[in-house]
Amino acid sequence: MTRPPLVLTVAGSDSGGGAGVQADLKTMLALGTHGMSVITAVTAQNSLGVQGAWELPVEAVRAQYRAVVDDIGVQAVKTGMLASAPLVETVAELLADTDAPVVVDPVGVSKHGDSLLAASALDSVRERLLPLATVATPNLDEVAQLTGVEVRDEDDLRRAADAVLGFGPRWALIKGGHLAGDAVDLLTDGTEEHWLRAPRHDNRHTHGTGCTLASAIAAGLAKGEDVPAAVAAAKEYVTGAIAAGFALGAGIGPVDHGWRSR
């Protein structure tokens, strides 16, 4: 039997199952890869928001990572919620010693506006983590948090991408989902540009979109796709998942990671 490509998520746990490690693993399975996980933090979370968050010790994160990579191996890594400067620096140290493409989702806040990254960790993300990224996937709030660039329209996306690329990732994917109109993202390495557009679906149940998109990109890279192809396929997958998003609890429900099989 042929082994599927191996993808590792290094991220926080979402007890409600819509985002974080849970969303990552669902995405990786849906896209034909074997997902593995290093849990960096545990959240008490549901459709209404994050009720609590507890980061794991750096020793636990390092042990999980080494256990997976040293024995099983990995063909792509995706990072999500890293919570604190010590965790960011530990993960950066581990990634620097791993020969695989890395998708960095610089998670700053949850869908509900809850902070998931300490302000003291921003310099570590800029200086230690982003230089290791094959693709960095910030949304507009995270762009502002990391660079100070405020994006108000499509013309600002280039300026945002330039600012993010200044920290060293090979590619920047600036997600314009918070702008009015179609959902437009800009992927660029500073030389070539790819504009990805999709219709905006009238569905409030969008919890986990960022995690899902980054994981889908990592799955594509693990399969051997180049960055533009992996990002385009991930955009198509997450657009379908948003369209199929469903109510769960009393608040914002998740995207449907299994929409293609229904």
Side-chain angles (χ1 to χ4, degrees):
M1 183 174 290
T2 303
R3 187 193 72 184
L6 306 173
V7 190
L8 176 64
T9 171
V10 183
S13 168
D14 173 2
S15 55
V21 164
Q22 287 81 356
D24 297 339
L25 294 176
K26 291 173 187 177
T27 299
M28 293 167 187
L29 177 63
L31 296 179
T33 65
H34 175 70
M36 306 169 291
S37 63
V38 171
I39 295 175
T40 59
V42 175
T43 68
Q45 188 171 171
N46 55 26
S47 70
L48 298 173
V50 179
Q51 286 77 50
W54 300 266
E55 66 185 79
L56 269 65
V58 294
E59 294 83 0
V61 171
R62 184 179 289 110
Q64 291 175 82
Y65 191 98
R66 292 263 62 96
V68 171
V69 174
D70 292 349
D71 174 49
I72 301 171
V74 65
Q75 289 163 275
V77 182
K78 175 260 179 183
T79 71
M81 176 186 177
L82 299 182
S84 69
L87 284 179
V88 172
E89 291 165 11
T90 297
V91 170
E93 173 192 324
L94 293 164
L95 291 173
D97 193 39
T98 303
D99 184 19
V102 178
V103 180
V104 172
D105 184 16
V107 174
V109 296
S110 75
K111 179 67 68 177
H112 303 88
D114 303 292
S115 177
L116 299 176
L117 181 70
S120 58
L122 289 172
D123 282 343
S124 296
V125 172
R126 298 180 188 109
E127 297 168 10
R128 299 288 303 278
L129 190 62
L130 287 175
L132 301 172
T134 306
V135 190
T137 66
N139 63 29
L140 302 188
D141 290 336
E142 291 155 355
V143 166
Q145 189 179 41
L146 290 166
T147 71
V149 173
E150 299 284 347
V151 176
R152 295 180 175 84
D153 54 39
E154 284 189 25
D155 291 339
D156 290 333
L157 291 176
R158 282 195 181 96
R159 191 161 55 91
D162 287 343
V164 172
L165 289 171
F167 294 120
R170 284 179 47 207
W171 291 83
L173 176 65
I174 309 301
K175 300 179 295 191
H178 293 169
L179 297 176
D182 287 347
V184 57
D185 306 326
L186 171 60
L187 173 70
T188 179
D189 64 354
T191 301
E192 59 180 276
E193 289 184 351
H194 301 267
W195 292 85
L196 299 100
R197 297 179 184 275
R200 186 176 299 279
H201 295 288
D202 184 18
N203 187 351
R204 68 189 290 259
H205 302 301
T206 56
H207 186 47
T209 50
C211 304
T212 299
L213 180 66
S215 294
I217 295 169
L221 296 176
K223 294 175 183 178
E225 297 171 0
D226 63 21
V227 170
V231 171
K235 173 80 169 181
E236 188 271 336
Y237 170 74
V238 79
T239 299
I242 290 169
F246 52 88
L248 194 70
I252 299 173
V255 301
D256 184 356
H257 299 93
W259 65 273
R260 284 180 170 162
S261 64
R262 303 202 196 290

